[in-house]
Amino acid sequence: MAEALAEGGTKSAATSGGAGPSPDVFEQLSAVADAVLYEGYLLYPYRRSSTKNRVRWQFGVLFPRDWVEADGPVTPGVSGSADSWYQQTECLLRVRQPGSARVRVRVRYLQMQRKQVEEAGHRPVESLRTGDGTVHLTFDEALPRECEVEVPLGELLQDGRTVTVGAAAGEDIEPLPEGAGRVVRTREEIRAETSVTAERLSDGLCRIRVRTTNTGPAPQPGTARDEALRRALIATHTLIGGDGVEFVSLIDPPTDLEAPVRACRNEFTFPVLGGETGNTGHVLLSAPIILPDHPQVAPESPGDLHDAAEIDEILTLRTMLLTDEEKREARATDPRAAAILDRVDTMPQEVFERLHGAVRSLTPAAPTAPADRPAWWQEGADDALCPTTDTVLVDGVPLGGGSRVRLRPRGRGADAQDMFLAGRTAEVAAVFHDVDGSVHLAVTLDDDPAAELNNWYGRFHYFRPDELEPLGSAGSPDEPSAPAPAAASARHTTDSETPAAEAE
């Protein structure tokens, strides 16, 4: 969530020396949690016909286990960009009131809803125009769901608590004017449960585990992902609060707690502190995307655009430039798209001007980086790693900056937008080591006319080593590629675009 979410939390109403959160502690995080819930729900240009709106919902998706593991077990990571059947959060909390401490857990997700347009006679159609000129399109919507449980810490330390967080099946029918037809919205049952347990690590320190699992029956073997989504929890994330407790930052823990923090196992999710700043807090957000501690929605942002990897000003300008026909299709696609268009079309000039940017803080300029290191690399951060000179072995061939490869994205667990790039050739720009120990290679496409410009700006496509096939060098196509020195201007910045943000 690069631009819409800014670091620096809202101060909590609790002031009793860490006694516990205010009653509305979760509500203080509601804007951030909703941004997580609807991240990627519908991307610019917000039309059903857009390529990137045909492959949707890439974060925090929990399918039935048998369907997920049909091609083999899924390797857990710290964020939820890969499909899974469960999501696990482990975090540390300090107990401030041992006799009365309580833990509150709220699980939130989207339930897919199939919107089917039917003309008179109940015949399904892809689109239908009524007498007043309104267009109705068949499309997949989603409804927000949440479940909350509050448990005494003592009970969690003894037996734990398991609750049902699934959603019922349903059907809603909306007749269209003048008997033109109807819109039928259907939902399949979601079966899921969340278990909450606690373990005492020392006097006044506990580890909490929250694990949400899709327990529903798997679709038939070979069922397409779009169909399997009907039984999935989408954009799953968890809010954890409590009374008489404080949560410890897993990103920047106190020195004496670094070892127990490293022992926490977070799978397909990434927990961060909410509320007031510091290395402890009264509420925690565990999201399927990586965020900083104390995230908040940028105050300049007038509303959700469902694509926080982009900048609000750019998306607003692009939306303003949609043709009338494109806007009609977007409005017919989904009510949330219509709301974005209404907001953009009526945005006051002073609100738009605020989107141009804001200074959050001023820091001294960093010293010039050595010639063999990119400008963004923090000197001394880790002398053993340098993205532009590191290499990784793939099929016995060392790949690094300058290596040529062919893209072979995996069919299951890969970013769905990457599938559009299968078979194309590219050049490796850098090797990145992620916080969970995995490795990704940044590449630029050979047939991209803007490849040189993207390389200069640090805008890359990212692939795992097992998704790349080494190619020969430009002069000897039959020989394995060898790393070459990367251009000194290669940079990786926070506005790097994923394939989902670039494709249309």
Side-chain angles (χ1 to χ4, degrees):
M1 315 284 283
E3 179 67 14
L5 293 181
E7 187 170 359
T10 303
K11 192 170 183 64
S12 170
T15 58
S16 55
S22 60
D24 64 345
V25 65
F26 286 164
E27 281 61 39
Q28 294 180 23
L29 273 174
S30 61
V32 176
D34 284 348
V36 172
L37 186 67
Y38 287 102
E39 170 65 9
Y41 174 85
L42 192 65
L43 300 177
Y44 170 87
Y46 307 114
R47 306 191 315 265
R48 184 186 68 170
S49 59
S50 173
T51 301
K52 59 186 176 184
N53 285 322
R54 299 175 189 173
V55 184
R56 302 168 65 201
W57 294 312
Q58 302 300 315
F59 303 99
V61 184
L62 308 185
F63 291 96
R65 181 172 184 174
D66 289 348
W67 186 87
V68 174
E69 295 189 335
D71 294 334
V74 176
T75 302
V78 296
S79 62
S81 59
D83 294 339
S84 178
W85 53 275
Y86 73 95
Q87 187 180 87
Q88 176 176 294
T89 299
E90 286 191 351
C91 59
L92 302 183
L93 58 81
R94 296 184 186 273
V95 183
R96 298 306 189 190
Q97 296 179 355
S100 58
R102 303 179 67 85
V103 175
R104 296 164 56 191
V105 175
R106 179 181 294 175
V107 178
R108 307 175 80 236
Y109 62 93
L110 294 174
Q111 179 185 20
M112 180 176 149
Q113 175 173 264
R114 177 67 52 83
K115 181 182 73 171
Q116 178 64 59
V117 177
E118 298 179 354
E119 63 182 10
H122 300 173
R123 189 173 73 88
V125 293
E126 286 298 306
S127 65
L128 181 65
R129 186 185 297 270
T130 56
D132 60 358
T134 302
V135 176
H136 300 269
L137 298 177
T138 293
F139 194 64
D140 289 334
E141 303 171 334
L143 297 178
R145 304 297 189 197
E146 65 180 39
C147 178
E148 184 173 325
V149 59
E150 182 173 345
V151 190
L153 179 59
E155 179 181 334
L156 296 181
L157 289 168
Q158 292 180 356
D159 303 316
R161 176 80 67 87
T162 299
V163 296
T164 299
V165 296
E171 179 180 273
D172 302 315
I173 298 177
E174 174 192 354
L176 296 178
E178 303 175 358
R182 64 180 189 173
V183 176
V184 181
R185 292 176 168 88
T186 58
R187 300 171 296 280
E188 289 194 13
E189 180 187 18
I190 294 178
R191 300 181 188 176
E193 63 182 26
T194 294
S195 61
V196 187
T197 58
E199 175 186 1
R200 192 182 305 278
L201 301 181
S202 63
D203 187 25
L205 182 69
C206 295
R207 177 164 54 226
I208 297 293
R209 173 186 290 177
V210 180
R211 186 180 176 98
T212 298
T213 305
N214 188 322
T215 59
Q220 292 296 320
T223 298
R225 185 178 187 273
D226 286 349
E227 185 64 26
L229 281 167
R230 293 169 66 86
R231 301 184 186 180
L233 292 76
I234 300 168
T236 313
H237 60 284
T238 305
L239 303 177
I240 309 175
D243 297 318
V245 299
E246 284 184 347
F247 296 91
V248 176
S249 171
L250 301 187
I251 298 176
D252 184 24
T255 303
D256 61 324
L257 296 181
E258 290 180 351
V261 161
R262 286 195 300 269
C264 290
R265 294 291 176 262
N266 289 285
E267 299 177 352
F268 306 105
T269 190
F270 191 80
V272 297
L273 296 181
E276 62 188 65
T277 58
N279 57 15
T280 60
H282 301 303
V283 64
L284 183 141
L285 168 63
S286 187
I289 55 178
I290 295 178
L291 298 171
D293 277 337
H294 315 289
Q296 70 175 33
V297 172
E300 295 79 18
S301 180
D304 201 348
L305 293 168
H306 306 320
D307 192 349
E310 263 291 7
I311 298 173
D312 279 17
E313 182 184 29
I314 294 176
L315 281 179
T316 300
L317 284 169
R318 288 177 173 176
T319 303
M320 287 178 173
L321 294 176
L322 292 175
T323 66
D324 290 342
E325 181 58 34
E326 288 173 326
K327 289 183 177 181
R328 278 192 291 271
E329 182 186 347
R331 292 181 186 279
T333 295
D334 190 273
R336 300 189 72 86
I340 291 174
L341 295 179
D342 291 341
R343 185 170 68 247
V344 169
D345 287 345
T346 60
M347 183 179 294
Q349 181 63 26
E350 60 270 20
V351 174
F352 177 75
E353 290 175 353
R354 289 203 299 268
L355 298 180
H356 189 61
V359 176
R360 303 292 182 203
S361 62
L362 296 175
T363 57
T368 303
D372 64 340
R373 298 205 171 207
W376 57 267
W377 190 252
Q378 183 179 352
E379 182 65 20
D382 193 332
D383 292 334
L385 300 175
C386 181
T388 54
T389 59
D390 286 350
T391 61
V392 60
L393 283 177
V394 177
D395 295 334
V397 179
L399 296 183
S403 298
R404 296 193 63 253
V405 295
R406 191 178 303 278
L407 308 180
R408 302 293 190 191
R410 296 193 310 172
R412 179 68 57 81
D415 186 320
Q417 298 295 334
D418 290 350
M419 304 307 296
F420 294 110
L421 307 178
R424 293 166 70 174
T425 59
E427 180 176 319
V428 176
V431 177
F432 292 100
H433 297 265
D434 295 342
V435 294
D436 62 350
S438 60
V439 177
H440 283 78
L441 287 83
V443 305
T444 55
L445 299 175
D446 288 343
D447 58 358
D448 183 356
E452 183 176 355
L453 183 62
N454 287 334
N455 187 69
W456 189 89
Y457 275 111
R459 293 182 174 179
F460 306 119
H461 298 278
Y462 297 89
F463 291 88
R464 293 182 298 273
D466 63 351
E467 296 180 303
L468 301 178
E469 173 188 331
L471 293 178
S473 61
S476 303
D478 296 330
E479 297 178 3
S481 61
S489 61
R491 296 187 295 154
H492 176 74
T493 60
T494 55
D495 65 346
S496 298
E497 296 183 3
T498 63
E502 294 174 9
E504 176 178 333

